[in-house]
Every structure is written in structure tokens, then in C-alpha cells.
Amino acid sequence: MNKLRLKFSKNGPIKFIGHLDVMRYFQKAIRRAEIDIKYSEGFSPHQIISFAQPLSVGATSDGEYMDITVNSMESAADVMNKLNAVMNEGIKITSVAELSDSDEKAMTAAYAAKYVVRFRDSLKPDFDWINEFKKYLSQEKLPAMKKTKSGEKEINMKEMIYDYSFDEKDDSATFLLAMSSSATLKVALLFGTFFESISKELSPLALDIHRIDIYKLVENESEKYIEPLICNDIESRYYLNA
Amino acid sequence: MNYNLALSDETLLSIEKPERYIGNEVNSVVKDKDKVDIRFAMCFPDVYEIGMSHLGIQILYGMFNSMENVWCERVYSPWLDCDKLLREKNIPLFALESQDPVKDFDFLGFTIQYEMCYTNILQVLDLSQIPLLTADRTWDDPIVIGGGPCTYNPEPIADFFDVFYIGEGETRYQEIFELYRAAKKEGISRPDFLRKLSHIPGMYVPSLYNVTYKEDGTIESMTPMFEDVPATIHKELCLNINDVFYPTKPVVPYIKVTQDRVVLEVMRGCIRGCRFCQAGQLYKPLREKDVEHLKQLAIESLKNTGYEEISLSSLSSSDYSQLPELIDFLIKNCSEQKVNISLPSLRIDAFSLDVMSKVQDVKKSSLTFAPEAGTQRMRDVINKGLTEEDILRGSHEAFLGGWNKVKLYFMLGLPTETDEDILGIGDIANKVAVEYFETMPKEKRNGRTIDIVASTSFFVPKPFTPFQWARMNTKEEFLDKANKTRKGIMSQLNQKHIKYNWHEADASMMEGVLARGDRKLCEVILKSYKKGCIYDAWGEYFHFDVWMDTFKECGIDPLFYTTRERKDDEIFPWDILDCGVSKSFLLREWKNALSGKPSSNCRKGCLGCGAAAYGVGVCQEGKN
Ligand code: SF4
């Protein structure tokens, strides 16, 4: 038995496929690829698959993750190749890693996510949003009201923004935001609160969001950093409170 | 992958289920449009989730796309939110694969599965910016072709179609496409093309016929306008059911649809001559597929789709002669793959109960019986060969096997029906409950009890059935009968274990009008659509009052089509078609019904319906 973590991208029209349907899509793809997936026990057995945090409908991604358990396999690379052979264009497995028993599930291991955010052409702001945003972000505290199951609660977004940059030419922003079971900052909340702070209205359809990757936290005696859930390149590490 | 969607991101994100409009599903076919000479848009005029569940479209889609120079794409009715946006923004309706406007296609085909979708056909034409009437179309518009069960009386929608394809779709499209290519090359006019098209067997071009009416409003004659146009159109039928194309690579939707599984058609046609059933007559004679062939289709389809469920499809799977072998094979193969098997339309007996206990969770599933009527007399009238004894014996065995949920289906408004027949419904339901309590003494019930759901639908007489002569009940009669049924059930000893459901009478009445309607209804349908009627099949969007107003406006009495008594020799709007069974056979069966005489089935004894002329299927069994 092996546990595998697969990283995949989701681009093009596939971005309109909701999270549950992406799960159903993979269940079928795994059958088509004849992966020897492990099933749960019971009268209606289901495949042992779990996904990292769902992406909102309409967003694209190069950093989606799912964990699967297989009874047998030739190699992790073979699983990836077999799956890629039956993938729809728009969804592609880009890397695979074997997990050990002690590894946390992608969902629980997630600590942060990186996004590139643009505005859809028809809904571009009529003001210099990048400069305004920089000013906004330079404040000491960034309070926002977050919707929770039991109502609303105030959070400080500042603590949840690990990194950011703007690209004037591309008219885009890149954010590294908290995304874990204890703290998650959504792009829409950040942008919405920023717009509110300067008395502008943000259409819920305006943001064109692309997820670059999902990160986990690595902590040991000497250092503390975050890196992608599957990390093939030390360059993609971020050192926190360095 | 097609990145150029017809709708903008903003639009897609502001409507429900954008997945309905983006195509790109697994196994959908994208071709280079410059390398094909025929582009076919295949439409199921209802919402995506319903349309995607239809086997017929998958068959034609796969078959057309297997032809090198043809590219077939899919179109469904946009849901109301999208419909509104398309109109507001003047975006022409598009096909899913290329996202190109439907109006630029060579053909637009509709599969017409139920009468209540007629306004959705107009919706699709309208949103595609194609003239609604065949008379107004030019070569700039696709050829609009209709197929499916409702084309066996296409008269109420005759004005909207260039041609109807009568019968099974697998046989004539090559010829149609050849003729179309030749017509385009030679530059002949569209009317000339349609006239030539009428020479291909199975093609009914309604604009080539004159209809005259008698003073009483019934039809006097339907005659071709030209000598070379056939006076009768014979249905098309696959003579070798094992040889025809079968879609083992059906399109697999992303979103959950009604039929979310591999569908394996085991046979076509039915041996049982239930007198109310149209499908039973239309697909005669019964033709079985070879079991080895089916095994292969099943394996391929599961492999190509990744579905976790497979379902057998036919009008009455229990009549498939190789059923035990097929099911054995499926159970063996599927349990390894963790694939579920679903077996609708099985008669409940020892064999089927044994099979069902292997493939489903007995505690959760329910038994289904369709006695259709409450007394043996009434069941003899409709020729439904299911007795009370069958039901009680089947229930008894099922209860022992652990089942405790039973569904019973009935019809109200059948010809010759009396109060006794109506009250019989409650009786049967009660007897099933009694059977449970007698079979299962208290200590064996484990705290469970019997759970019965009795449902009634209102009987709608259909063309090409022995009941095509029958008077349909009025709305008031229907509601009165539903009330009596309810009271009948309430008066039963075990009434608290019986739940009763009944259908809307308005929709049934409308269906009845359209089912046996004539060309005069085209105007009513068109006007009702213009007043906003669409999605009539969806109870909450069906505007009965608007329809009734429109009938008044057009000076047409809807009851003419439903409650009127029809004479034996009346010429029906659909008499111009030949579905393989003769009118004299149907009339014979009608008379048998009225005198309460049941008939045999094809395997017990041929009834001489006329379908033996095809020389295939059950009519030939035991003859070689
Ligand atoms: S000809 Fe006889 S056997 Fe053949 S379909 Fe008709 S009734 Fe059945």
C-alpha cells in the first residue's frame, strides 16, 4: 500500500467546474486509468482520496493537490503518467510524491496559498488601484469582518498576509495568504475590504484569481519556513519572520 | 480544449451551473471545422442534466462523429437564467463543443421525447435566431430535423420542422448527408432539396402535404402535393441490432445528471402488448442483442467512462432471454471494479430478488410493482399481465429477503374504468401490507415496518396504441378519481403504512391535447411560446392558464382532442405514418379491450400485428 500526493493544474474552461465535480471527475479518471486505488470497506465502498482546500468556481490554478492511497503501483511516476493519459485538457498532473504514514493530509498540512489576482477586462477599476492598495497595506492593522458559521467576527488581515507584490505592467497583484485550519484569508475578502476602505464597490465577478501553489509549514530548531506541498525546488521556500 | 467560450466569464459566473454551457466534457468530440463538410447540432430540448441522460443522443452523436466528414455537437435548452441573458445581450445560442452559433450549422436535429417540450423546441430555434417556421427558412438556416417518439404524431409541430425522421436513427443519415452534399454542390433550392429528401424512406416532410378537414373538425385527407412524394411514410428499423453503432465512449458530464452511469441497451422492442403503451408498439418487433456482444460493450463502456455504475436498459429486461448469463457476468466483473449494477424494469420473482439482493442494499432499496390498475378486470382491459397473486407472492418472497419498502404504480382514467377499479387500488396496497404482517411476525421485524407508496398518473391515450380511439378524462374527472383513490386508501385498515401520490391533472390534459393533436395546434403552440411558455414539463413553470387563453384566442377547443369519442374509421393525423403495426390490429385490440379480453404476448402466440413483415426479431423466433 502506498500513499501518494498528486499536484495538478486546472486551467481554461475547466475553471467553471466546482470542487465536488472535480472530485467526481477524478474518481472516474482513476478508474479509466486503471489505478489500483484503495477502497473503503462497507456496502458502498468509495475510493480513498482527499483534496486540499477547494478552489472557488471561476479561479484557475497551477497548485492543486490531492492525496490518494493505492494498493499497488509500478512507481509513483507511472501513476502520474497513467492519469495524465486520461486527463481532459485543462487538468494536468504536474508532479507526484510518495507520502510516509506520518505525513499529514494535504488538507491539514496546508498553511498558506499564493495567488495572482487580476481584474476581468470589463470590470477593471477606474482608479490607480495598485497605488491605493499599497497605501492600504502599509497600515499597522488591517481589520476585516469575516463571515463564520455563527455570524461575523473581526480579524486582522495583516497577520495573514505573508507576502505580496504588484506588477504594474501586468496590472496584477501576487499575494501569499494564510490558508490553514486555524486561519484562512480569502482573496475576495481582502480585496473587498480594501475597496470598502476607499469607498469603492467591488463586483463579486471582477476578480480573476489564479492560485499558484499551496504551502505547508516546516519548523525545526534552526529555521522556520513554508514550502509547496510538493517541493522540488528550494528556491520556492519562504522564510517567515526572517 | 476549446478556450473560446461563447459566454464571458462574467456571464458564466452570474448564472446557475455554468458547467451546462462550457462543453469540454470527457469524450466530447472536437474536430477541425475546416476538415468537415457537415456540421450537425443535436439538441435535446430540455435542460442539460436531462438531455445529457438520454441514450439516443449519445448513439447518434457517436455515430455521426465516427463519420470522417461530419462533426456533431450538442445543444440543450439554456436554463431560464441563461435564456434571459442570451436574449438581453442578443447572443445567438451556440453548440457546446465549438461554441459556434447553431444557426451556422448544416443541420439542427431535435430528439422529441415528450410532448411537453414543444415550446422548448421553439425556444432553441428562437435563441439560435433561426426562423421558427419552416416556410420562412432559407439556405442560410440549418435543416431542422426531428426524431424520437413524439414524431409518431408530429402534426402539432409540423410547421416548425423541415423534416421528421420516422423510426430508428441508425439507418438513413448517410443517405441524408449524401443528398445534402449533392444539393449544395448542384446549388438546388431548399424546397427542391426537401422534396428529394422525402424520397428517402422514413422521411416525412410535412410541408409537402395538404390536409383537409371535415365539417366536424376531423381529418378528411392528407395528401402529398406532388406525385413523387410518398403517400405513407414507413418507420425505419434496424434489422440487425448487433451490427449497429453503439456508443462505448459516451460523453461523461462533470455535473451530476439524471442518468449518471453507463447505459447498456440489451434489446429494443417489447413482447408485451400493454394496450396503453406507445413504446411497446413503436419499437416492435422485439430484437435482442447477442449476450457476448453486450458483455464486450459493457466492459468497453466502463473502461472509457470510468463510471461507477452500469444500468441495463430496455422496456422489460426480464424478457431478455440471456438475462441470467449477462447478470452473472456483470456481477463477477463489476464487484472487482466496485461498479454498481442497477436493474430497472425487472419483474419481481425469485430470480430477480436473488439478483437484486446481490447488487443492492436491500434495506435501502424498494420493490416496484406496476399493476397499473386496481382490479383484474381493468388489468385485462389494458392487457397488463400482472395479477394480484403475482404481486403478493413477489412481496412475500421479498419480505423474507429483507425488503420492507414497496412502490406501486397505477393509472387513473383508463377506458371502462369504474369506481370499483379505483377503490381496488387501496385494496391492493392494503393486501401488500397484510402480506407483510403475515410474512413477518413481530419478532422478525427488528423494529422495522412496512412502507408502501402508491402513485397514480392520469392516463393519456397515445397514437399507435389500441387506446388511440379512447376518450380521455376531463381534468375534473381526474381530480375526482384521485380523490376517490385517496379516500379508498384512507379507509383501509393499514392506511397509515400507505402513502399516496398523484400527478397534476393540468399537465396531463395538455399532454393529451398535444399527443393526439393535429396541425391546427401549431398556431396555439407558437402563440403560447410567444407569451412566455417554456419548460412546460417542469411543473412550476407550466402556465396552464396561458395555454387555455391561447386556445380561446385561436378558436380551438382543446377538449376536441381529449374527451371526444372517436369513431372506428376516423382518419387520425398520424395515419400518414406507418409504425409497423396495422391499424386493423390496433382496432382489434381496442375491441378486445372494450370487451375485457386480454391478449397473449409475442412469445406465447403472435397477435399478427403486422411487424412480422420486417422479418426479424421475436417474430422469427423458433422459425429457423
Ligand atoms: S408480428 Fe407477432 S410476434 Fe411479431 S411483433 Fe407482432 S405480435 Fe409480436
Side-chain angles (χ1 to χ4, degrees), chain A residues 11-18 21 24-25 28 31-32 34 43 45 57 88-90 120 122 205, chain B residues 1-3 9-10 13 19 22 24 254-256 260 303-308 337-339 360-361:
Chain A
N11 287 303
I14 306 291
K15 70 185 173 197
F16 294 107
I17 313 294
D21 295 325
R24 287 164 21 87
Y25 165 83
K28 294 190 178 80
R31 289 169 176 283
R32 289 197 299 274
E34 296 181 335
F43 204 95
V57 172
N88 249 13
E89 249 182 287
R120 298 194 198 283
S122 68
L205 306 175
Chain B
M1 164 132 96
N2 190 350
Y3 283 84
D9 285 11
E10 294 86 327
L13 288 172
E19 290 124 312
I22 62 171
N24 286 299
Y254 290 106
I255 47 174
K256 236 186 155 67
D260 206 22
K303 162 95 182 94
N304 289 335
T305 58
Y307 272 124
E308 39 281 292
Q337 318 272 329
K338 306 280 190 293
V339 170
Q360 40 181 248
D361 188 348

Side-chain angles (χ1 to χ4, degrees), chain B residues 122-178:
Chain B
L122 296 180
Q123 176 215 20
V124 168
L125 288 169
D126 201 7
L127 291 175
S128 300
Q129 305 174 359
I130 295 169
L132 303 183
L133 300 176
T134 175
D136 297 336
R137 291 183 200 133
T138 69
W139 267 134
D140 288 338
D141 304 302
I143 298 295
V144 179
I145 183 167
C150 289
T151 60
Y152 283 93
N153 177 23
E155 291 306 287
I157 44 174
D159 291 354
F160 315 134
F161 280 84
D162 299 327
V163 55
F164 292 103
Y165 182 126
I166 309 300
E168 296 174 350
E170 285 100 336
T171 56
R172 294 291 172 185
Y173 271 108
Q174 245 344 329
E175 276 168 74
I176 298 173
F177 294 157
E178 282 312 319

Side-chain angles (χ1 to χ4, degrees), chain B residues 332-599:
Chain B
K332 240 175 255 143
N333 271 271
C334 293
S335 63
E336 280 165 32
Q337 318 272 329
K338 306 280 190 293
V339 170
N340 300 318
I341 304 171
S342 98
L343 301 164
S345 77
L346 277 195
R347 206 166 338 125
I348 306 294
D349 55 22
F351 168 75
S352 63
L353 287 172
D354 177 52
V355 167
M356 278 160 32
S357 68
K358 286 183 193 150
V359 304
Q360 40 181 248
D361 188 348
V362 170
K363 284 203 193 82
K364 285 192 195 131
S365 60
S366 47
L367 288 182
T368 303
F369 293 99
E372 308 292 4
T375 59
Q376 191 55 45
R377 185 200 72 80
M378 189 77 258
R379 287 192 293 276
D380 287 343
V381 168
I382 63 177
N383 201 32
K384 178 87 195 183
L386 182 72
T387 64
E388 195 171 290
E389 206 197 317
D390 294 334
I391 297 169
L392 296 180
R393 197 180 343 101
S395 305
H396 173 77
E397 286 172 30
F399 297 150
L400 289 175
W403 273 273
N404 69 330
K405 294 188 189 73
V406 180
K407 285 187 192 154
L408 298 168
Y409 290 97
F410 300 92
M411 282 188 285
L412 290 174
L414 290 162
T416 76
E417 182 178 56
T418 65
D419 281 1
E420 202 187 325
D421 303 309
I422 296 168
L423 296 176
I425 293 174
D427 275 348
I428 293 188
N430 190 58
K431 282 181 184 157
V432 171
V434 171
E435 187 69 41
Y436 178 81
F437 294 119
E438 282 175 3
T439 310
M440 302 293 284
K442 205 159 194 170
E443 61 281 7
K444 276 167 78 185
R445 288 178 212 155
N446 297 328
R448 302 186 329 148
T449 187
I450 179 78
D451 199 343
I452 298 168
V453 181
S455 306
T456 58
S457 60
F458 296 122
F459 170 62
V460 178
K462 294 279 163 105
F464 291 114
T465 67
F467 289 170
Q468 62 183 355
W469 285 274
R471 172 186 179 273
M472 187 172 152
N473 283 178
T474 60
K475 204 178 126 180
E476 293 71 27
E477 285 168 311
F478 275 142
L479 292 175
D480 179 49
K481 289 179 176 185
N483 231 335
K484 280 186 183 147
T485 310
R486 192 178 49 84
K487 282 195 190 132
I489 289 175
M490 295 294 284
S491 70
Q492 298 293 336
L493 211 57
N494 292 300
Q495 48 100 353
K496 68 172 195 292
H497 296 282
I498 309 167
K499 196 173 164 259
Y500 174 51
N501 293 328
W502 68 94
H503 277 236
E504 284 293 320
D506 288 347
S508 301
M509 182 217 166
M510 200 56 230
E511 187 187 328
V513 172
L514 297 174
R516 291 188 292 173
D518 54 27
R519 269 186 202 198
K520 293 177 232 161
L521 295 185
C522 292
E523 187 194 352
V524 180
I525 296 170
L526 184 62
K527 284 199 170 140
S528 298
Y529 167 72
K530 294 232 156 127
K531 290 183 194 167
C533 289
I534 48 170
Y535 282 107
D536 297 305
W538 292 66
E540 63 268 48
Y541 303 110
F542 174 52
H543 302 297
F544 185 67
D545 45 336
V546 177
W547 277 96
M548 290 306 118
D549 286 349
T550 316
F551 274 107
K552 228 180 253 156
E553 232 177 272
C554 298
I556 291 175
D557 175 14
L559 298 184
F560 173 81
Y561 302 98
T562 53
T563 59
R564 182 169 57 87
E565 305 273 357
R566 287 159 166 84
K567 291 204 192 90
D568 289 355
D569 60 356
E570 176 170 334
I571 297 175
F572 297 131
W574 53 93
D575 280 353
I576 191 162
L577 308 178
D578 164 24
C579 88
V581 302
S582 66
K583 196 170 181 181
S584 58
F585 159 76
L586 294 173
L587 188 63
R588 205 157 68 229
E589 278 293 283
W590 172 230
K591 299 291 169 187
N592 282 339
L594 292 177
S595 51
K597 255 180 36 205
S599 292

Side-chain angles (χ1 to χ4, degrees), chain B residues 110-125:
Chain B
F110 285 96
T111 179
I112 316 169
Q113 297 291 318
Y114 31 88
E115 292 81 3
M116 300 299 273
C117 76
Y118 290 170
T119 52
N120 277 55
I121 294 173
L122 296 180
Q123 176 215 20
V124 168
L125 288 169

Side-chain angles (χ1 to χ4, degrees), chain B residues 284-285 602 606-612 618-619:
Chain B
K284 270 184 172 178
C602 296
C606 169
L607 300 176
C609 76
V618 67
C619 323

